[in-house]
Amino acid sequence: QCMDLARKDPDAAFDWAMDWRDMGGDEAARHCIGVALIGLKLYKEAGNRLEALAQEMQSDKTVQAGILAQAAQAWHLDRKPARAIALMNAALKLSPGNPDLLVDRSTMHAGRGDYITALADLNIVLAKDPTRTDALIFRATALRFTDKLEQAETAVVSALALDENNPDGLLERGIIRRLKGDKDGARRDWLSILTHVPNSTAADAAQANLEKMDLNSESSYKNEKKGH
């Protein structure tokens, strides 16, 4: 209940978890406090608390690895990529080959601009489960940043074949289409996001891409008129 509340109302969850801890909630309460702090965007405090909990806890290794991964996410959001990746490495030692952890670590490598290492993690995941949509989309993004547009397009098309309205997939395919000169296709993908999930991070990115594309088109038109 506390973890569910932490996702919906982190402020209320933090207060509840603090009271729970004081009444003997121990590891579970401390875990909820850390997750609530991420929701409150107090990333440094969350990272410190979750990291300490993972090091002290007596639970099984899988649970410990999950908390280390959450600590890593907090440090990633706090723009401490080296610390985040070090914790993800520690989590993967406790839970080797864990696909969720590998996907998370790949996004952290990508955040540092290390798309080659990000791809290595994603390739491991997709070798075991080629139908994992999030890994296919992240792979498309990483390939795009390494100037491999054809391979990127193949990856995102595979993802959308599995989940045709996936907003992250549509966002990525739209970007790839724009880079390949297919502005109409890009527009369709981004407008689809705005139609189906208007209040989302993907929608914000789609709107920004649409505005940028239209602005560039208008600028090119004006330059052409000047040339005439």
Side-chain angles (χ1 to χ4, degrees), residues 2 6 44 65 73 91 94 101 137-138 148-149 192 195-196 208 223:
C2 188
K44 181 178 180 180
Q73 187 65 29
L94 293 171
L101 300 184
I137 295 168
F138 290 143
K148 296 177 180 176
L149 280 186
S192 179
T195 299
H196 292 101
N223 288 334

Side-chain angles (χ1 to χ4, degrees), residues 57-143:
M57 69 188 309
Q58 302 299 314
S59 300
D60 64 69
K61 289 184 177 181
T62 302
V63 174
Q64 191 177 7
I67 294 175
L68 278 172
Q70 288 175 323
Q73 187 65 29
W75 288 119
H76 176 65
L77 291 167
D78 197 48
R79 299 184 181 180
K80 302 291 189 303
R83 189 165 185 175
I85 290 171
L87 288 173
M88 289 303 302
N89 292 342
L92 279 158
K93 285 182 180 178
L94 293 171
S95 184
N98 184 307
D100 294 330
L101 300 184
L102 285 166
V103 169
D104 285 347
R105 188 173 68 177
S106 75
T107 64
M108 293 175 188
H109 283 305
R112 299 181 73 182
D114 186 357
Y115 298 105
I116 301 301
T117 306
L119 283 166
D121 278 345
L122 294 169
N123 288 341
I124 294 170
V125 174
L126 289 167
K128 293 180 180 178
D129 181 6
T131 66
R132 179 149 178 161
T133 307
D134 59 344
L136 284 166
I137 295 168
F138 290 143
R139 187 171 190 271
T141 303
L143 287 165

Side-chain angles (χ1 to χ4, degrees), residues 167 190-207:
W190 295 334
L191 288 175
S192 179
I193 297 169
L194 294 171
T195 299
H196 292 101
V197 281
N199 300 312
S200 65
T201 303
D204 292 341
Q207 183 65 46

Side-chain angles (χ1 to χ4, degrees), residues 6 12 17 23 50 64 73-74 89 93 110-111 114 119 135 163 168 172 186 208 210 217 223 226:
M23 291 187 290
L50 290 167
Q64 191 177 7
Q73 187 65 29
N89 292 342
K93 285 182 180 178
D114 186 357
L119 283 166
D163 182 4
D168 294 320
E172 182 59 38
L210 280 165
S217 296
N223 288 334
K226 287 179 181 178

Side-chain angles (χ1 to χ4, degrees), residues 161-215:
L162 296 164
D163 182 4
E164 63 180 351
N165 291 318
N166 185 292
D168 294 320
L170 289 170
L171 177 66
E172 182 59 38
R173 187 173 67 179
I175 294 170
I176 292 168
R177 282 176 163 176
R178 179 179 60 80
L179 290 172
K180 294 184 73 175
D182 181 7
K183 292 183 179 180
D184 290 339
R187 185 180 301 279
R188 284 195 301 273
D189 281 340
W190 295 334
L191 288 175
S192 179
I193 297 169
L194 294 171
T195 299
H196 292 101
V197 281
N199 300 312
S200 65
T201 303
D204 292 341
Q207 183 65 46
N209 275 288
L210 280 165
E211 290 173 1
K212 183 178 179 181
M213 185 169 69
D214 289 342
L215 184 64

